[in-house]
Amino acid sequence: MSRFALIKAVLGPIMRLMFRPRVEGVENIPGEGPVILAGNHLTFIDSMILPLVCDRQVFFIGKDEYVTGKGLKGRLMAWFFTGVGMIPVDRDGGKGGVAALMTGRRILEEGKVFGIYPEGTRSPDGRLYRGRTGIARLTLMTGAPVVPFAMIGTDRIQPGGAGMPRPCRVTVRFGEPLEFSRYEGMDRDRYVLRAVTDSVMTEVMRLSGQEYVDMYATKAKAA
């Protein structure tokens, strides 16, 4: 049994008991081949729930601090996140964005599922913010379809991102696959990249019901 299968077998029932996730549209995720899952990001718990509600293993980029913690808690976090598919990258470095993009491309070229939060960070206030164009670069470079998804209610599990998680029902909603083959070879055109990204974010907004803010979440946090 793989570590991913073991984690799902052990923690899956606990997560279902605590969060009673309602999963809608999971059949929209192709059963094989490369696919990008792109969705909103409300809280730290999102990255724990998403891999456990998908039949296929989801690989995603995470902060390297998630796997470098000390003590028993640090070792457990590293074991869990690397087991479910997190690939640690130092995103704060000058080349962090490029490293994340190339890692995602490699995963997709291997025919796997890559999960991404186009906002680039957690929403500071529960609204949906402007997407970064890395999602567009990935789909245009690899030809992988994009399945948009929405996390609903996860912000009630850990309000403010702090404290112990509390039981609360959540919904994970997947939309129909989006494909952008009509833009093949245009992954360096910034207008195309913005159009593709906005198309994905429009679907995420429709699925989540969030209010949309046409600015980057990092700028909102800084303000």
Side-chain angles (χ1 to χ4, degrees):
M1 179 181 289
S2 68
R3 185 154 38 123
F4 173 64
L6 177 61
I7 289 173
K8 288 196 71 169
V10 174
L11 294 185
I14 297 174
M15 300 282 280
R16 284 193 291 271
L17 182 63
M18 286 187 65
F19 308 131
R20 297 171 291 149
R22 180 188 294 112
V23 184
E24 302 174 3
V26 71
E27 67 277 4
N28 288 323
I29 302 175
E32 58 183 21
V35 60
I36 302 169
L37 301 184
N40 60 335
H41 195 14
L42 297 174
T43 186
F44 172 79
I45 294 292
D46 296 338
S47 297
M48 299 178 69
I49 293 178
L50 180 64
L52 295 177
V53 301
C54 295
D55 294 330
R56 297 179 63 185
Q57 184 169 9
V58 181
F59 293 86
F60 56 97
I61 299 298
K63 295 180 181 179
D64 58 356
E65 64 191 57
Y66 290 164
V67 299
T68 57
K70 305 298 183 181
L72 178 60
K73 179 181 178 181
R75 289 195 295 271
L76 286 175
M77 286 183 63
W79 183 84
F80 173 84
F81 280 111
T82 57
V84 296
M86 193 199 89
I87 299 172
V89 170
D90 180 7
R91 297 182 302 174
D92 295 328
K95 298 182 180 179
V98 175
L101 186 67
M102 291 301 101
T103 299
R105 181 176 185 175
R106 174 178 59 81
I107 290 168
L108 293 168
E109 289 177 343
E110 292 174 356
K112 299 175 181 177
V113 180
F114 183 66
I116 187 172
Y117 303 115
E119 291 169 280
T121 186
R122 282 172 273 177
S123 170
D125 54 17
R127 296 185 293 177
L128 185 69
Y129 283 80
R130 196 179 199 209
R132 304 248 175 209
T133 57
I135 176 69
R137 292 182 186 276
L138 279 176
T139 186
L140 296 185
M141 286 191 299
T142 64
V146 179
V147 174
F149 71 88
M151 291 286 185
I152 303 170
T154 55
D155 51 339
R156 297 195 299 269
I157 296 173
Q158 270 186 314
M164 289 294 293
R166 59 189 186 188
C168 181
R169 184 158 202 178
V170 302
T171 297
V172 186
R173 185 175 293 150
F174 296 94
E176 295 184 2
L178 307 173
E179 65 88 29
F180 299 97
S181 58
R182 60 191 180 279
Y183 297 123
E184 183 179 359
M186 302 176 72
D187 57 281
R188 295 183 180 276
D189 187 313
R190 63 190 182 97
Y191 295 106
V192 169
L193 294 176
R194 175 47 53 193
V196 169
T197 303
D198 288 347
S199 295
V200 173
M201 298 308 290
T202 296
E203 282 302 298
V204 174
M205 178 178 66
R206 183 184 66 81
L207 293 167
S208 70
Q210 291 171 281
E211 176 186 348
Y212 180 74
V213 183
D214 192 21
M215 66 183 295
Y216 293 120
T218 49
K219 186 175 181 180
K221 286 183 175 181

